[in-house]
Amino acid sequence: MERLDKTVAQLADMPRKQAVHLIRAGRVTVDGEVWRTPEAKLEPAAHVVSVAGHVIDTQPHRYYMLNKPQGVLCVSRDPKVKTVVDLVPPAFRRRGLFPAGRLDKDTVGLVVLTDDGDYAHRLLSPKKAVFKRYLAVVAGEMPQTAVETFAAGMELEDETRCLPAKLQILSCEEFMNRNGGDFASFATFLEEYTIPSMADYSCVEIAIQEGRYHQIKRMCEVVGHKVLWLKRVAVGDLTLDPALAEGECRELTAAETAAALRSVEEFCAS
Ligand code: URA
């Protein structure tokens, strides 16, 4: 059970004082009845609460998927640069919304946003082994021997040891298929780098179960390859919706919210 003033402040995203004021002024209704007591208790999700005539969202938590474009910061707020939370449409905004996991400014693709701290912890904890899958284009020809180096759990340049990861070297065609038909960002990349031949770059898919700082870029550096383009395509069993254009965001279904948590432990055994 929650206090009415706390519920209104949290779910209508306003200071507690303002919520108390609105409740005392008779502007808050619960199931159509005016409630004037800020301390009154209720189970928010079980009621229709309205503030100044507008029904507020009483679901305890929300879960969204966003297709992050390049140049956007994967944080809640920044005074100068656009963030992933800024891309969430106003109707989806909630207090405490944050990205569950970081992507670099230049990395594109799947970001899960939520206001549920426990859920985010389960997604991110290395103990839960939720694999995050990335498509990458790296400079030069990635040799097959790198597959074993990734699978063994490599040591980064600062001697941090990574958990086993899976590297697959892909043909250009397979890479495009796995990219869900998103040719646009890849074409921009090709233009930017004006790459003349296949031998100058490799297309790979990498699955990691941690989220260390610049992890994919640093792992690729260890085997001698610079990451030129990076996109997250899946978290657990949740894959980026190909219908979601860069910068777009939509709510996850309950099945998708659960799928993101699913561990893919057999991944590294194959
Ligand atoms: N690894 C990286 O190097 N960058 C990302 O954004 C995500 C994983």
Side-chain angles (χ1 to χ4, degrees):
M1 299 283 268
E2 295 282 357
R3 280 174 60 124
L4 181 60
D5 54 354
K6 185 176 170 207
T7 301
V8 169
Q10 209 161 23
L11 302 177
D13 197 7
M14 64 175 69
R16 186 89 158 240
K17 254 189 179 171
Q18 192 182 348
V20 169
H21 174 76
L22 286 167
I23 294 166
R24 294 219 166 107
R27 315 273 328 264
V28 173
T29 64
V30 178
D31 299 331
E33 303 274 317
V34 174
W35 283 28
R36 290 180 188 270
T37 315
E39 310 80 38
K41 294 273 179 76
L42 77 166
E43 195 63 69
H47 299 277
V48 178
V49 179
S50 75
V51 178
H54 297 282
V55 173
I56 58 171
D57 181 358
T58 52
Q59 289 310 305
H61 296 295
R62 291 281 170 186
Y63 308 89
Y64 305 123
M65 120 170 11
L66 172 86
N67 187 358
K68 178 191 171 302
Q70 275 203 350
V72 172
L73 287 184
C74 211
V75 295
S76 301
R77 249 181 232 110
D78 188 89
K80 292 199 185 106
V81 183
K82 192 176 267 188
T83 74
V84 286
V85 170
D86 295 332
L87 294 177
V88 175
F92 288 1
R93 297 245 173 99
R94 283 170 76 100
R95 175 177 281 191
L97 203 60
F98 66 96
R102 291 273 174 97
L103 291 183
D104 297 335
K105 193 175 173 189
D106 60 351
T107 303
V108 298
L110 175 60
V111 175
V112 173
L113 291 138
T114 184
D115 56 352
D116 182 347
D118 288 342
Y119 177 80
H121 174 74
R122 283 188 286 153
L123 270 193
L124 302 175
S125 167
K127 286 194 193 123
K128 309 284 182 197
V130 173
F131 278 83
K132 286 92 187 168
R133 267 195 291 132
Y134 295 83
L135 287 173
V137 180
V138 302
E141 198 170 344
M142 181 75 89
Q144 278 297 331
T145 50
V147 173
E148 276 165 38
T149 313
F150 274 68
M154 70 168 68
E155 197 170 275
L156 298 177
E157 82 294 345
D158 63 357
E159 296 182 2
T160 308
R161 185 156 282 283
C162 296
L163 290 169
K166 180 162 178 169
L167 166 72
Q168 280 182 286
I169 300 164
L170 306 174
S171 67
C172 228
E173 199 184 355
E174 183 55 25
F175 177 85
M176 286 299 191
N177 288 339
R178 293 193 191 187
N179 198 18
D182 171 18
F183 295 91
S185 58
F186 188 61
T188 314
F189 154 76
L190 285 179
E191 256 168 43
E192 245 171 59
Y193 286 87
T194 45
I195 289 169
S197 86
M198 262 305 275
D200 293 325
Y201 68 95
S202 308
C203 296
V204 298
E205 185 176 283
I206 297 169
I208 55 174
Q209 47 186 316
E210 307 158 278
R212 297 185 186 283
Y213 180 66
H214 292 333
Q215 185 165 343
I216 301 267
K217 291 173 185 164
R218 289 159 72 206
M219 288 171 110
C220 289
E221 288 283 350
V222 168
V223 293
H225 297 270
K226 182 176 163 54
V227 171
L228 303 174
W229 181 88
L230 186 61
K231 176 177 183 175
R232 182 152 70 191
V233 289
V235 172
D237 278 358
L238 172 72
T239 50
L240 179 64
D241 182 346
L244 212 57
E246 281 194 5
E248 280 182 0
C249 172
R250 73 155 170 82
E251 190 151 16
L252 293 178
T253 62
E256 287 175 328
T257 308
L261 286 176
R262 217 166 288 142
S263 305
V264 202
E265 284 144 17
E266 75 279 12
F267 218 145
C268 281
S270 64

